[in-house]
Amino acid sequence: PWYQKHREKLEEELRLRGGILFRGFPVTGVEVFEAFARAVAPDLLEYKERSTPRTEVGNRIYTSTEYPSHQHIAHHNEFSYAYTWPMRIFFFALIPPDVGGETPIADSRKVYQMIPPDVRSRFEEKGVMYVRNYGMGIDLSWQEAYQTSDKSLVEDYCRKAPVAWEWLPGDCLRTRQIRPAVARHPVSGEMLWFNQAHLFHVSNLEAEVRASMQEVFDEQNLPRNAYFGDGSVIPDSDLDHVREAYRLSEVTFPWQQGDVLVLDNMLVAHGRNPYQGTRRILAALSQPFNARSDS
């Protein structure tokens, strides 16, 4: 295959730039996209510990996040709230949207450097605590997030993750997990901004939605929120600096049918712009990396 013949050069470009857009190749459907992804990295991953709704449309090929078209999805590195994450993420434009719907990307190295040192040091020192409440009637259920209805399997997953869990009345589940806010790339050694605090935090919601949620739920029962690792509140102003760093680092391009975007999931964060019309962008994950096994 073409990729195999050029693998060394393409891997070098990924290490340098963090992403490659393949345009004009005969990628015409789900099966061809899957074959392409497996040619790059055969160990495609199952989408577990889900934080957004997706549908599996092929063998470990998924739709991109199924949020309403008017919603913006903030930049994030996939599974940066976990201890195991994919090093590679693939996107395929099966049906580009009529208007908007770009997948903006941002260099995690630049984001790290652009965040004010005092803000960055707070996050580096304390880490991030992600809190999720499943079964509150908003956001994913624990059954969908963990892809099982067996509580013992959820508990086993949480022990291994590790994630602290607590079963609540009404078949609800609360989880807490503390993770680093930054990471060092295992190959290049570069420091990266690598967390989803700004996405999980209640300030990620539109003002009216945030107000409504805080009227309905006590803070501890919000469907999701983020704190510093010691449990203290993250000021909105700190996360405003983070969002501004992403904005200044952002690169955007319009999707064309058949495009395939390959990202180093640590070097580059991605998001989604609102759109009009039908949008069918597929995704695949590969090359699991476990932070605890890094030496």
Side-chain angles (χ1 to χ4, degrees):
W2 184 88
Y3 194 97
Q4 298 292 350
K5 294 179 181 178
H6 300 85
R7 175 177 291 277
E8 186 173 336
K9 174 61 176 175
L10 292 169
E11 290 294 324
E12 180 183 342
E13 288 295 313
L14 270 175
R15 286 192 295 271
L16 177 64
R17 306 182 188 280
I20 301 175
L21 176 65
F22 292 87
R23 175 166 287 172
F25 288 79
V27 183
T28 55
V30 176
E31 292 183 357
V32 180
F33 172 55
E34 180 185 335
F36 178 96
R38 291 186 183 278
V40 178
D43 52 340
L44 298 187
L45 306 181
E46 186 178 358
Y47 184 54
K48 287 187 174 181
E49 199 179 336
R50 301 185 178 196
S51 62
T52 60
R54 297 174 185 250
T55 301
E56 188 170 8
V57 296
N59 185 8
R60 300 191 173 181
I61 304 297
Y62 299 88
T63 59
S64 55
T65 297
E66 296 171 349
Y67 278 173
S69 61
H70 70 276
Q71 291 185 359
H72 173 268
I73 300 175
H75 294 90
H76 60 285
N77 306 85
E78 205 71 31
F79 284 96
S80 55
Y81 53 80
Y83 270 134
T84 300
W85 56 79
M87 290 297 294
R88 291 282 183 272
I89 184 166
F90 304 82
F91 294 103
F92 166 52
L94 182 62
I95 304 176
D98 296 333
V99 178
E102 300 90 352
T103 299
I105 58 177
D107 190 317
S108 302
R109 297 164 289 195
K110 292 181 180 178
V111 174
Y112 176 87
Q113 293 164 2
M114 288 184 174
I115 293 171
D118 61 322
V119 175
R120 194 171 62 210
S121 64
R122 279 193 287 277
F123 277 95
E124 288 180 320
E125 177 185 348
K126 298 181 178 182
V128 178
M129 177 190 291
Y130 302 95
V131 180
R132 296 183 67 179
N133 285 287
Y134 303 91
M136 299 295 180
I138 298 176
D139 213 341
L140 303 185
S141 66
W142 61 265
Q143 292 91 339
E144 183 176 359
Y146 291 95
Q147 292 292 286
T148 181
S149 58
D150 187 333
K151 289 185 177 181
S152 65
L153 293 180
V154 174
E155 293 173 1
D156 185 56
Y157 181 94
C158 289
R159 287 189 194 95
K160 294 176 181 177
V163 174
W165 77 91
E166 176 185 2
W167 294 106
L168 303 174
D171 200 30
C172 296
L173 170 67
R174 177 179 298 146
T175 62
R176 295 183 181 88
Q177 53 206 100
I178 300 173
R179 303 292 186 254
V182 301
R184 190 177 296 278
H185 195 276
V187 177
S188 69
E190 295 164 293
M191 289 302 301
L192 314 170
W193 189 253
F194 195 71
N195 67 78
Q196 293 190 27
H198 67 294
L199 192 151
F200 273 72
H201 194 265
V202 68
S203 64
N204 187 55
L205 300 173
E206 296 177 0
E208 291 184 3
V209 176
R210 177 177 182 174
S212 297
M213 295 279 274
Q214 290 178 320
E215 284 182 8
V216 174
F217 298 103
D218 294 335
E219 182 176 337
Q220 66 175 357
N221 291 324
L222 287 168
R224 65 175 75 185
N225 205 357
Y227 302 84
F228 283 122
D230 61 4
S232 59
V233 172
I234 301 175
D236 289 8
S237 57
D238 280 6
L239 295 173
D240 288 341
H241 285 298
V242 172
R243 295 184 179 105
E244 179 66 3
Y246 276 116
R247 187 188 70 80
L248 293 173
S249 305
E250 180 179 285
V251 174
T252 304
F253 64 93
W255 283 112
Q256 294 184 16
Q257 188 168 13
D259 282 353
V260 174
L261 177 65
V262 182
L263 298 179
D264 181 308
N265 181 48
M266 291 191 72
L267 292 179
V268 176
H270 64 276
R272 191 200 73 183
N273 288 338
Y275 65 93
Q276 298 175 21
T278 301
R279 182 183 190 271
R280 190 75 164 171
I281 307 297
L282 305 183
L285 311 171
S286 71
Q287 295 184 3
F289 178 81
N290 188 298
R292 289 167 296 179
S293 64
D294 186 31
S295 56

